[in-house]
Amino acid sequence: MDVDTNIEKEPDGGGTIGINQRELYIVVRTAVKDALMDVLGTVLLLGFALLFVSIGAQRLFDASSTGGSALGGSIVILGFVLAGAALDLIPSIRALTQ
């Protein structure tokens, strides 16, 4: 730090380290927008998961054959997988391919 002006300088003695108000605004705005989109996506995915679980459970309980029960059970399992993906309990496909 420069003793006279109390401003941090680059390690090589160059210009000051810092971020101006415009850059800070852009970074904060982008971060908030990204967080809101993540929340919206999670809520929508959980809604779809609840829909799949409820439809699968209804089909499972109303089924009169083994095939209907298997279909209902698989729809319930799909709903739970969607809920797990929404809550990051299972790894995403993108994480597995990298």
Side-chain angles (χ1 to χ4, degrees), residues 11-22:
D12 63 357
T16 59
I17 299 175
I19 186 167
N20 64 21
Q21 290 295 324
R22 180 171 170 76

Side-chain angles (χ1 to χ4, degrees), residues 18-53:
I19 186 167
N20 64 21
Q21 290 295 324
R22 180 171 170 76
E23 291 171 343
L24 181 63
Y25 173 78
I26 291 170
V27 168
V28 170
R29 184 176 187 276
T30 304
V32 168
K33 182 180 175 184
D34 208 24
L36 287 174
M37 293 303 281
D38 280 348
V39 167
L40 181 64
T42 300
V43 168
L44 286 174
L45 200 53
L46 284 173
F48 282 128
L50 181 63
L51 180 69
F52 276 108
V53 168

Side-chain angles (χ1 to χ4, degrees), residues 1 14 16 76 93:
M1 289 203 314
T16 59
V76 168
I93 301 296

Side-chain angles (χ1 to χ4, degrees), residues 33-90:
K33 182 180 175 184
D34 208 24
L36 287 174
M37 293 303 281
D38 280 348
V39 167
L40 181 64
T42 300
V43 168
L44 286 174
L45 200 53
L46 284 173
F48 282 128
L50 181 63
L51 180 69
F52 276 108
V53 168
S54 64
I55 290 172
Q58 181 182 7
R59 192 160 187 87
L60 185 63
F61 291 129
D62 291 342
S64 59
S65 67
T66 307
S69 296
L71 181 62
S74 62
I75 293 173
V76 168
I77 290 171
L78 179 64
F80 282 126
V81 168
L82 279 175
L87 298 173
D88 290 331
L89 298 174
I90 58 173

